[in-house]
Amino acid sequence: MGFHNIQKRRSDYEEIKKRLMLGAAALICALSFSSSASAASYQSGTLGGYSVSGSVYMGSNSASATTTSGTLASLYSRIEYTYYYDNYQTDTVNNYQANGSTSVTASTSAKYVSVISRWAYGTHSVTIGTQSWNASTSTL
């Protein structure tokens, strides 16, 4: 084997190494970007001078969405919960509405104990008089 062949192999090796490093860097960037772009599990604001908020929670086999207000108001919460059981995706939805309250929670549970929770999505609404505040929260 001549000197030229050894130098060519080393050059090929360096090129492969460089491409692998670039691929790994691109993968790391893509993964970090996707996790930093996730939706908020908590939203807050003010309505008529009162603080209002919405939050979503997901456990190992249940999920809930809570809407709160700093004063008595018409409140609405909706929860959508997606989980896997036995390789099938299942969605559950529940709503809860209350007038003249400061907090409402809509919750739902998986029909089975051993599931893989995937995501939960909450919808929130507060109405005080003629003013409304709406928000969405997610565990994604």
Side-chain angles (χ1 to χ4, degrees), residues 55-124:
S55 61
V56 68
Y57 166 80
M58 182 177 69
S60 60
N61 68 340
S62 64
S64 62
T66 301
T67 305
T68 61
S69 170
T71 188
L72 297 178
S74 176
L75 303 174
Y76 172 80
S77 282
R78 180 176 194 267
I79 184 71
E80 294 177 51
Y81 172 51
T82 298
Y83 61 91
Y84 285 113
Y85 176 76
D86 198 24
N87 294 324
Y88 293 100
Q89 179 175 314
T90 306
D91 301 311
T92 62
V93 177
N94 195 17
N95 304 317
Y96 191 83
Q97 185 166 356
N99 293 320
S101 183
T102 58
S103 179
V104 295
T105 300
S107 59
T108 187
S109 299
K111 295 176 184 160
Y112 312 98
V113 176
S114 181
V115 301
I116 300 171
S117 292
R118 299 301 295 161
W119 60 270
Y121 180 78
T123 304
H124 314 275

Side-chain angles (χ1 to χ4, degrees), residues 6-18:
I6 292 173
Q7 201 170 18
K8 172 127 176 63
R9 281 189 171 183
R10 185 173 293 158
S11 174
D12 290 345
Y13 171 76
E14 292 297 324
E15 182 64 26
I16 291 170
K17 183 176 154 185
K18 184 167 76 171

Side-chain angles (χ1 to χ4, degrees), residues 39-47 52-56 65-68 74-80 120-127 132-138:
S41 62
Y42 176 81
Q43 296 283 341
S44 64
T46 56
L47 181 64
V52 293
S53 66
S55 61
V56 68
T66 301
T67 305
T68 61
S74 176
L75 303 174
Y76 172 80
S77 282
R78 180 176 194 267
I79 184 71
E80 294 177 51
Y121 180 78
T123 304
H124 314 275
S125 179
V126 179
T127 302
S132 292
W133 175 84
N134 299 291
S136 297
T137 54
S138 175

